[in-house]
Amino acid sequence: MINAPRGTNDIHPPDTSYWQYIENKAHSVFNRYNYKEIRTPVFEYTELFQRGIGEATDIVEKEMYTFEDKGGRSITLRPEGTASVVRSFLENKIYGQPQPTKYYYLGPMFRYERPQAGRYRQFHQIGIEALGSNDPFLDAEVIAAGMNYVQELGLNNLKVLLNSIGCRECRPGYVEELKKYAAENKEKFCSDCKNRLKTNPLRILDCKVEQCSEALKEAPLILEALCDECEEHFRQVKTNLNRLEISYDLDPYLVRGLDYYTNTAFEVKYTGLGAQDTIFGGGRYNGLTEEIGRQSVPAIGFALGVERLLLTLKEQEIELPVETGLDVFIITIGEKARSRGFTLNQELRRAGVKSDMDYLDNSVGSQMKMADRQNAKYSFIIGGNELQKGVVTFRDMKSGEEEEIDIHNIVNKVQTYI
Ligand code: HAM
């Protein structure tokens, strides 16, 4: 017996119906916001993620699925979607077209993390990326699109955490201040943070260890160190969120786990009973295109974890309106009736009716049970008697009412019922 690798999931029916619903909702909501779908490869050259996400991030340091292909090139299964979207935008010179370019995507991502509920090694993201504009209206639009998406799925108790982490001009000065503060208070930080101070000092801000949160209480805040331009941009982002009546909490410790962010950073958490999880997160990444290519293109986006979204919907007992039952189950008695049922089944399907029949030559009683189990709205019963009269016994599975209908009219008839 060979099992699936740790941290992966098989998605079975009926769960696949929920996945389809969630994916269809993404297509419809993001299309309404005029975002177009982009599909990029599941693997890229490793360098893309090293340069894009940053060498000193958890993802690049320890979570990537990296291997050498038969040509000796280092390949990595994508741990996220943004770097690939930017690579594709640059490679295909999309920046030469009228801007902004608004994309959405969905698909599997891979991170070698310790698996637990809501954290997997293969997981799925739905994300959007808007490239080619630094307009603070766009920051608010991106957050609004994500909020609308999850709200249309039925989630309501959501909290937006918002921060600005500045730009190339103002951030280095802040990082110096933070390092100075941390050096003076070194003994108060955990050992990981002591290392982070050397490799990625901003990340001490979102360390989840309590002693560090405590140690940071007196630390300088990035929001107080923004340059005039970043401060004005952030002020406008907040105003635009207010205009859309999207409430948010400022969180000056929110820095996110990828290095490409500049200015706006945000996370959306579910705050309902029993859950405190980040459903989606993102931000601006005005420097990423230059990191990967030669163009300087401002951009913003977010990504949402589909498994986490589904877990939250399940925990909150939010039912998605998916239809898993059949319209018609065909029950036959005898070989001749079975053959007629078989062709009728094809006619029904071609006419847009969701139908099925028995393929194990079961008794009528078992076929009835199958019709029930498959949640069929109607069953068609065809026996010797029906064949002789050229009719089908049409049974409403809910009320149990039956009527005989001409076999030539049955397809039209059932179409008016469904
Ligand atoms: P991220 O915060 O690394 O951002 O991931 C986004 C979301 O993916 C998380 O909030 C979480 O729901 C989900 N996720 C991450 N890792 C796992 C895992 N191991 N198992 C299950 N779910 C997971 C990004 O990936 C950025 N690319 C977002 C972005 C887009 N920023 C700008 N544009």
Side-chain angles (χ1 to χ4, degrees):
M1 177 60 206
I2 299 168
N3 293 333
R6 210 163 112 75
T8 66
N9 292 298
D10 297 314
I11 307 158
H12 291 117
D15 283 358
T16 30
S17 302
Y18 298 116
W19 280 76
Q20 286 172 359
Y21 182 83
I22 276 178
E23 287 163 6
N24 289 340
K25 182 61 87 183
H27 293 297
S28 89
V29 173
F30 299 137
N31 264 311
R32 248 183 278 147
Y33 280 84
N34 200 24
Y35 287 68
K36 306 270 176 1
E37 189 182 358
I38 180 170
R39 299 187 188 198
T40 61
V42 166
F43 60 86
E44 300 269 1
Y45 291 129
T46 303
E47 204 191 338
L48 174 69
F49 303 118
Q50 287 169 334
R51 289 228 307 254
I53 298 171
E55 294 278 6
T57 56
D58 285 351
I59 296 180
V60 173
E61 269 182 357
K62 44 190 186 212
E63 295 171 1
M64 295 207 299
Y65 277 90
T66 298
F67 58 94
E68 216 171 75
D69 71 6
K70 292 195 191 322
R73 284 162 298 240
S74 182
I75 297 290
T76 294
L77 299 185
R78 61 180 184 194
E80 58 106 48
T82 311
S84 306
V85 168
V86 167
R87 195 262 313 132
S88 175
F89 176 85
L90 294 170
E91 187 173 342
N92 295 290
K93 299 193 172 58
I94 309 294
Y95 50 80
Q97 299 174 9
Q99 298 301 320
T101 301
K102 305 207 283 185
Y103 292 126
Y104 73 93
Y105 53 89
L106 28 96
M109 308 291 161
F110 307 85
R111 295 184 193 177
Y112 193 79
E113 292 195 81
R114 185 196 290 269
Q116 60 181 59
R119 198 201 282 157
Y120 309 102
R121 291 182 174 168
Q122 174 171 335
F123 61 99
H124 296 75
Q125 282 188 346
I126 294 178
I128 74 178
E129 312 290 352
L131 303 108
S133 165
N134 192 37
D135 189 345
F137 278 115
L138 204 51
D139 299 49
E141 174 180 287
V142 163
I143 296 172
M147 292 292 278
N148 255 14
Y149 173 63
V150 290
Q151 280 164 354
E152 285 193 27
L153 291 170
L155 278 189
N156 275 312
N157 299 320
L158 300 164
K159 184 157 88 179
V160 181
L161 299 178
L162 190 68
N163 194 16
S164 171
I165 55 172
C167 67
R168 264 199 302 221
E169 302 302 318
C170 52
R171 198 186 318 164
Y174 169 73
V175 170
E176 278 316 307
E177 265 186 66
L178 182 66
K179 272 164 86 173
K180 206 169 129 218
Y181 171 84
E184 284 162 7
N185 296 277
K186 206 166 175 183
E187 71 292 350
K188 296 186 187 157
F189 287 93
C190 73
S191 57
D192 280 348
C193 278
K194 284 179 188 137
N195 281 333
R196 284 185 190 119
L197 274 175
K198 288 180 217 134
T199 56
N200 200 345
L202 263 192
R203 286 309 306 276
I204 69 170
L205 290 177
D206 72 347
C207 179
K208 302 289 177 279
V209 177
E210 210 181 313
Q211 82 183 81
C212 297
S213 326
E214 216 30 60
L216 283 165
K217 281 199 172 138
E218 305 287 308
L221 298 177
I222 181 105
L223 286 178
E224 283 159 18
L226 297 179
C227 61
D228 290 349
E229 210 177 302
C230 287
E231 195 173 308
E232 176 56 17
H233 190 273
F234 194 48
R235 191 189 65 74
Q236 290 189 37
V237 172
K238 290 183 287 184
T239 304
N240 292 334
L241 286 171
N242 293 338
R243 286 184 171 122
L244 298 181
E245 293 175 12
I246 295 175
S247 55
Y248 52 83
D249 289 347
L250 291 184
D251 180 352
Y253 301 107
L254 178 78
V255 290
R256 313 233 341 105
L258 304 95
D259 274 359
Y260 49 59
Y261 291 110
T262 59
N263 301 89
T264 316
F266 59 90
E267 284 187 354
V268 174
K269 292 188 190 274
Y270 185 75
T271 58
L273 272 180
Q276 245 302 350
D277 230 350
T278 302
I279 309 271
F280 65 91
R284 271 209 169 270
Y285 47 95
N286 289 350
L288 182 56
T289 55
E290 259 175 305
E291 205 63 58
I292 292 172
R294 251 175 260 132
Q295 309 292 320
S296 168
V297 183
I300 179 163
F302 74 78
L304 163 151
V306 178
E307 286 83 355
R308 285 194 198 172
L309 173 67
L310 273 163
L311 274 175
T312 311
L313 289 170
K314 226 177 223 173
E315 268 170 23
Q316 305 311 314
E317 292 172 4
I318 294 169
E319 296 268 338
L320 297 179
V322 295
E323 190 54 76
T324 50
L326 288 176
D327 295 321
V328 173
F329 193 85
I330 301 173
I331 295 168
T332 62
I333 310 154
E335 215 24 62
K336 263 199 177 144
R338 228 170 151 238
S339 304
R340 186 62 188 96
F342 180 67
T343 54
L344 180 59
N345 201 9
Q346 170 79 339
E347 281 175 55
L348 285 166
R349 290 157 168 183
R350 290 178 64 125
V353 180
K354 190 173 166 191
S355 63
D356 210 350
M357 62 184 279
D358 159 54
Y359 290 101
L360 291 172
D361 210 3
N362 277 314
S363 68
V364 179
S366 306
Q367 291 184 58
M368 278 287 185
K369 279 194 200 126
M370 283 172 80
D372 259 337
R373 219 179 310 122
Q374 299 269 354
N375 258 333
K377 291 193 195 104
Y378 307 102
S379 59
F380 290 1
I381 303 157
I382 313 174
N385 193 21
E386 280 89 354
L387 275 184
Q388 215 171 29
K389 290 183 5 200
V391 297
V392 164
T393 299
F394 178 94
R395 181 185 169 90
D396 183 320
M397 295 293 289
K398 218 181 202 165
S399 66
E401 271 171 44
E402 290 186 354
E403 60 178 311
E404 285 186 351
I405 293 167
D406 186 330
I407 198 160
H408 300 294
N409 289 337
I410 188 79
V411 176
N412 283 344
K413 170 98 181 169
V414 79
Q415 274 178 314
T416 64
Y417 278 62
I418 59 168

